[in-house]
Amino acid sequence: MNDISLSILFSILAALLVISAFFSGSETALMTLNRYRLQHLVKKKHRGAIKTHELLKRPDRLLGLILLGNNFVNILASSLATLIAIRIGGDEAIAPATALLTIVVLIFSEVTPKTLGAIKPEMLAFLSAWIYIPLLKVFYPIVCIVNFISGLILRIFGINTKKGKTETINKDKLISIVS
């Protein structure tokens, strides 16, 4: 890694932060998406809505994929930031680099994209579905193992992940369905 220039390392770090922002924003968008509007768009044959609907049939797999990707990218970014800090200022630069990376990740890769995902869920959800479907096919074995272990841990604490919850319809949801 010592033969890679700092400008390339910074570029890779910036790309990792953008990927992390994608994972964070799309997670919020997919989880806050209006399911009744989604059903309506699926019936109208909206391609992004159809793909999104397919992903949301198994939210455990989708969340497993998103968390796997986001954690991998953030840990890799942290490792890269540490390498950059050592190259620039030695061991003394690790703590300030960690603090700076925490602030940058928080603002640019977490809060801002999640806020965008909450404000514009359809835009981000439908776009991200095109990316997540092939990613899920590639990383399906890892996602399944992670979800299996997670399910075992939950069962140890007496939580049954197989129980389906019934969704109630309030006045606002009913108005949304009718319109």
Side-chain angles (χ1 to χ4, degrees):
M1 277 288 198
N2 285 337
D3 54 337
I4 300 174
S5 73
L6 280 174
S7 60
I8 291 174
L9 292 177
F10 275 112
S11 298
I12 295 169
L13 181 59
L16 291 172
L17 294 173
V18 168
I19 295 168
S20 177
F22 166 76
F23 281 121
S24 296
S26 62
E27 175 187 7
T28 299
L30 286 158
M31 295 304 128
T32 61
L33 196 60
N34 183 317
R35 299 303 195 264
Y36 298 108
R37 175 146 169 77
L38 180 63
Q39 288 287 345
H40 173 73
L41 292 172
V42 166
K43 287 178 184 171
K44 288 189 158 211
K45 307 271 191 252
H46 184 284
R47 290 177 17 180
I50 293 168
K51 289 198 172 291
T52 302
H53 179 70
E54 286 300 312
L55 280 173
L56 290 172
K57 284 181 180 176
R58 289 296 308 264
D60 57 328
R61 289 181 185 163
L62 177 61
L63 282 172
L65 175 67
I66 291 170
L67 294 173
L68 176 72
N70 206 15
N71 278 286
F72 177 78
V73 167
N74 286 340
I75 291 168
L76 186 56
S78 176
S79 299
L80 196 56
T82 302
L83 179 66
I84 292 168
I86 291 170
R87 295 238 329 247
I88 291 175
D91 290 345
E92 300 80 33
I94 294 173
T98 301
L100 180 61
L101 183 65
T102 300
I103 292 167
V104 169
V105 166
L106 191 61
I107 293 170
F108 295 105
S109 297
E110 291 294 333
V111 175
T112 303
K114 285 181 183 283
T115 302
L116 178 63
I119 294 170
K120 299 279 190 183
E122 284 183 16
M123 177 187 77
L124 276 178
F126 296 165
L127 171 69
S128 65
W130 291 92
I131 296 167
Y132 284 138
I133 287 176
L135 277 179
L136 190 56
K137 288 178 182 169
V138 172
F139 293 105
Y140 182 76
I142 298 169
V143 170
C144 281
I145 291 168
V146 169
N147 285 346
F148 176 75
I149 294 170
S150 174
L152 284 177
I153 293 168
L154 289 171
R155 277 195 289 281
I156 289 170
F157 291 101
I159 299 169
N160 185 354
T161 59
K162 300 296 182 202
K163 284 185 181 176
K165 68 173 192 172
T166 58
E167 190 171 331
T168 59
I169 298 176
N170 63 24
K171 178 182 169 187
D172 294 330
K173 288 181 182 176
L174 185 58
I175 290 170
S176 177
I177 291 169
V178 171
S179 61

